[in-house]
Amino acid sequence: MALSRAERCLALLLRLLSRACLALLGLAAPATPRAVPPPRRSLLLLPARQLAKRLRQRQVTCVEVVEAYIERIREVNPLINAVVKDRFEEALQEARQVDKLLAESPGEDYLEEKFPFLGVPITVKEAFSLHGMPNTSGLVNRRNVIATSDATVVSRLKQAGAIPLGVTNCSELCMWYESSNRVYGRTNNPYDLQRIVGGSSGGEGGVLAAACSVIGVGSDIGGSIRMPAFFNGVFGHKPTTGVVPNDGQFPIAQGVRTSFLCTGPMCRYAEDLEPMLRVMAGPGVHKLKLNEKVSLEKIKFLCMDHDGGSVFVSPVDKEILQAQKKVVEYLERDLGVQVQRVSIHKMKYSFQIWSAMMSSNDSDGQDAQVFTDLLGDHGKPVWPLWELMKWLVGMSSHTLPAIALGLTEKLVKLNLGANAKLVSMGKSLQAEMETLLGPDGVLLYPSHPTVAPRHHSPLCMPFNFAYTAIFNVLGLPVTQCPLGLSSEGLPLGIQLVAASYNDHLTLAVARYLEEAFGGWVLPGKA
C-alpha cells in the first residue's frame, strides 16, 4: 500500500523533528541518571501469592505489610509522583480487620480459596472508580469528581482480599504514552527520573517498579498496560478482548472501541499474573484455558524483529534487538525448539490500521467516540485549534498531546476512502495472525522501538506506540515480559503474543522467561 504525498511529508517532518528534539533533550539531560533508592524492607520483595501465604500462615501481620508499603510510598513518591491520592488510613483499618479474621483461624485452605489476595496491598489506575477516590483521568474539569462506587475489577479484587493503597497517575483521558496531565503533573521513571513511565497506565508501572505496590490494575487500548510495563521493567497482560469487564472506568469505550479496550493485571512477578486474571475476569475466565497444562517444548515459537520499516516509527534499538535474540537463542538451546522467523507485511502499516479502525463505525453503524467531546466531558466540545492557541500562551487546561490528538482526529476523518481500505487490511491481518499462531503459537515481538524515552520526547515520534497498539485492534492476548536492563540501566523487554483465548500460553512463557532472565530488577541497586 503506497503512502500518499501528505503521509510522506508527515513522515519526513517527524524524522526531522525527532532528531532535533532528541538533540535538545540530550543537551539538557544530566550527566548521571538518577534512580530511586532501593527498598530496605524484605517484605516489599515478595510476590503477591507468597505474601498472601505468609499472611495466612500468620508469619507476618497485615498491619506490618501495609505499613511497610505506606513507608515505601512516602519515601519515593515525592521523586516519582506515581500515587496521586492515597487512602492510607482506610488501608490500615482494613489491615486490622484482616488480622482479626486471621486470628479467628477459619482455616488456611478456606482462606486461600475464598480470599486469594487476602491482605495484599494493591494500587489502581486513577481512571478506574475506587470508592472515595478521585476519578478524573487527568481532566481538569473533572478534578472534583469522587468515585461513589468501585469498578467491577476493583470490586472483585477487594472481594478477593486485596487492600487498595491509593490511585495512580495516567495521561489525560488515557490517550498518550507519557503519564502527565494538568491535574496531577508528571510521573517519573524509577530507573531514571528524567525518563517517562509510559502511558496511560504509567503511574501503575512506576509504582510497581519502585516497590511501592506488588500488583495493580491497568487498562489498554493502544498499549497502555504494556508500554508502562516495558518502560518500568515489570509484567503486564492485555487479555483476549471481551474476557475482563471494562465497567467503571473513565472514559469508557463506546462503539467499535469496546472491542479494543482491555482491562488487565500489572505486577512485579510473573506468578501473580494468572491469579490476578482469574479474579478480574470473574465468570469470563471460562473463556480462557488457564487450567490447561502448558508444555513449552510443544509451543510453536515465532519471532519478528521489527514491523518491516514503517516510516512513522523509530527503528528498533540495537539493545532491544539483542535482548530478543538472546531469548530466541535460549529457547532453542534450553527447550530444543526451532524458533521460526516471520515477516508479516501488513505489520508495516500498524499505526495506520490502528488509527483507521479506532475511527471506524461499529457493526450497527454507530460512530466512533469523538475525542474532543471527551475533552469537554460531554459538555461543550473542545475546539483543538483554539486550545492550541491558548496553550501557546499558557492559558489552556489541556496538555499538548491531547490537543494534538484532537487535531489529528479531524484530519483522519478527511480521507474516508483510505480509512476503509485500512480497516479491510486490519481485518485481513487479524485472520492472518490467527491462522499463523494457531492453537499452539507464541510470537516474540518488540514492545517498543526504544527504551524509556526522556520526558517530552514522545512528542517527537508520537506514533511509536504502534508496536503495541496493533494488537488491540487485532484482539489478541499479549503479555509484556521484562528482560533485564540496558547499558544505560533502563528496562528491556519483549511482547509475547498468542491467538485469541490462548492467554495461558503467553503467561506460561512469561513465567519461564522470568526464571531465565531474572524478571524485575531493583532500581537504584547499582
Side-chain angles (χ1 to χ4, degrees):
M1 183 176 179
L3 296 175
S4 67
R5 181 178 296 176
E7 287 176 324
R8 290 196 299 270
C9 290
L10 176 59
L12 178 60
L13 179 63
L14 284 171
R15 295 285 183 188
L16 295 173
L17 181 63
S18 174
R19 290 174 184 175
C21 286
L22 293 175
L24 289 171
L25 289 165
L27 290 172
T32 304
R34 184 184 175 199
V36 299
R40 295 183 294 270
R41 301 283 298 274
S42 59
L43 272 179
L44 302 176
L45 304 179
L46 293 172
R49 288 181 67 190
Q50 294 183 28
L51 191 56
K53 184 176 181 179
R54 290 200 182 189
L55 285 163
R56 288 193 301 269
Q57 294 177 347
R58 301 180 67 182
Q59 296 179 21
V60 63
T61 69
C62 189
V63 168
E64 287 178 292
V65 171
V66 170
E67 284 180 341
Y69 273 99
I70 290 173
E71 179 186 340
R72 177 63 176 171
I73 292 171
R74 285 175 171 159
E75 178 188 14
V76 302
N77 202 56
L79 298 174
I80 61 174
N81 187 36
V83 178
V84 293
K85 180 67 175 178
D86 67 67
R87 57 185 303 278
F88 294 160
E89 289 304 316
E90 295 93 333
L92 284 168
Q93 183 177 350
E94 289 161 14
R96 286 189 281 270
Q97 292 172 351
V98 169
D99 284 334
K100 183 179 179 182
L101 173 63
L102 290 168
E104 295 169 357
S105 191
E108 188 179 339
D109 292 340
Y110 168 82
L111 290 174
E112 184 176 7
E113 181 179 353
K114 190 169 179 62
F115 307 110
F117 290 110
L118 185 63
V120 174
I122 187 174
T123 42
V124 177
K125 182 180 183 179
E126 198 261 15
F128 287 88
S129 295
L130 172 57
H131 185 269
M133 293 286 102
N135 183 218
T136 71
S137 283
L139 201 59
V140 169
N141 63 0
R142 284 178 61 90
R143 61 184 174 273
N144 295 321
V145 174
I146 302 297
T148 57
S149 61
D150 292 326
T152 302
V153 292
V154 174
S155 175
R156 287 175 179 173
L157 285 162
K158 288 171 71 173
Q159 288 170 20
I163 298 178
L165 298 176
V167 291
T168 57
N169 207 12
C170 57
S171 54
E172 187 173 10
L173 283 176
C174 301
M175 288 298 286
W176 184 237
Y177 71 97
E178 175 158 19
S179 289
S180 178
N181 56 68
R182 298 295 297 273
V183 180
Y184 303 118
R186 185 181 76 193
T187 300
N188 304 316
N189 193 300
Y191 294 88
D192 181 351
L193 301 179
Q194 299 301 315
R195 305 271 179 165
I196 73 170
V197 288
S200 60
S201 309
E204 275 306 303
V207 83
L208 289 164
C212 296
S213 180
V214 64
I215 53 176
V217 176
S219 58
D220 190 315
I221 200 169
S224 293
I225 286 174
R226 289 160 290 148
M227 280 186 290
F230 170 62
F231 292 148
N232 295 279
V234 297
F235 291 88
H237 183 68
K238 183 200 87 64
T240 297
T241 295
V243 172
V244 178
N246 294 317
D247 313 64
Q249 59 182 293
F250 180 86
I252 187 64
Q254 296 177 4
V256 70
R257 296 182 187 179
T258 58
S259 299
F260 306 150
L261 177 65
C262 291
T263 296
M266 300 175 69
C267 50
R268 266 186 279 144
Y269 303 99
E271 69 178 77
D272 293 329
L273 285 172
E274 184 182 314
M276 276 196 77
L277 182 57
R278 287 180 183 274
V279 170
M280 294 170 77
V285 76
H286 77 274
K287 299 177 183 178
L288 304 180
K289 308 163 189 173
L290 299 183
N291 292 326
E292 285 190 13
K293 185 177 180 181
V294 177
S295 177
L296 296 171
E297 294 84 356
K298 294 181 180 178
I299 289 178
K300 177 179 65 177
F301 286 100
L302 309 167
C303 176
M304 191 167 169
D305 290 340
H306 52 76
D307 66 0
S310 169
V311 296
F312 291 103
V313 304
S314 304
V316 179
D317 282 357
K318 288 183 179 179
E319 285 194 84
I320 293 174
L321 292 172
Q322 288 169 356
Q324 186 159 314
K325 182 181 178 183
K326 288 179 181 178
V327 171
V328 171
E329 291 173 346
Y330 184 80
L331 290 171
E332 293 185 334
R333 183 175 65 252
D334 190 60
L335 297 179
V337 298
Q338 183 66 45
V339 180
Q340 178 186 347
R341 293 199 170 274
V342 295
S343 178
I344 305 166
H345 176 69
K346 296 183 185 72
M347 293 291 279
K348 184 176 181 178
Y349 305 100
S350 292
F351 166 68
Q352 296 100 308
I353 290 171
W354 178 86
S355 182
M357 293 185 77
M358 283 282 287
S359 304
S360 63
N361 296 343
D362 66 11
S363 57
D364 296 327
Q366 182 180 349
D367 290 339
Q369 287 169 295
V370 180
F371 186 70
T372 48
D373 287 348
L374 290 173
L375 284 174
D377 194 15
H378 303 288
K380 187 176 179 181
V382 168
W383 294 89
L385 274 174
W386 176 237
E387 283 301 321
L388 180 59
M389 294 174 67
K390 288 165 62 179
W391 184 87
L392 290 170
V393 294
M395 294 180 63
S396 176
S397 62
H398 300 289
T399 57
L400 182 58
I403 296 169
L405 181 57
L407 289 167
T408 304
E409 183 180 57
K410 301 289 185 186
L411 296 173
V412 167
K413 292 183 178 296
L414 295 177
N415 197 348
L416 297 178
N419 283 354
K421 291 179 181 178
L422 287 164
V423 169
S424 178
M425 183 186 288
K427 292 177 179 177
S428 173
L429 176 59
Q430 183 179 33
E432 182 181 349
M433 291 290 288
E434 291 281 3
T435 301
L436 179 67
L437 289 164
D440 58 352
V442 170
L443 172 68
L444 312 177
Y445 193 67
S447 312
H448 199 77
T450 70
V451 293
R454 297 191 186 281
H455 289 301
H456 309 301
S457 64
L459 288 167
C460 308
M461 283 303 281
F463 308 133
N464 278 356
F465 70 93
Y467 269 81
T468 49
I470 188 62
F471 298 112
N472 289 85
V473 294
L474 299 182
L476 303 176
V478 188
T479 303
Q480 168 59 40
C481 180
L483 295 174
L485 304 181
S486 71
S487 58
E488 297 179 282
L490 299 169
L492 298 167
I494 196 169
Q495 289 188 96
L496 308 169
V497 188
S500 297
Y501 306 108
N502 283 345
D503 302 51
H504 64 301
L505 297 181
T506 65
L507 296 173
V509 176
R511 291 190 295 269
Y512 172 74
L513 292 181
E514 178 184 43
E515 187 176 342
F517 291 89
W520 170 71
V521 179
L522 279 168
K525 189 177 180 180

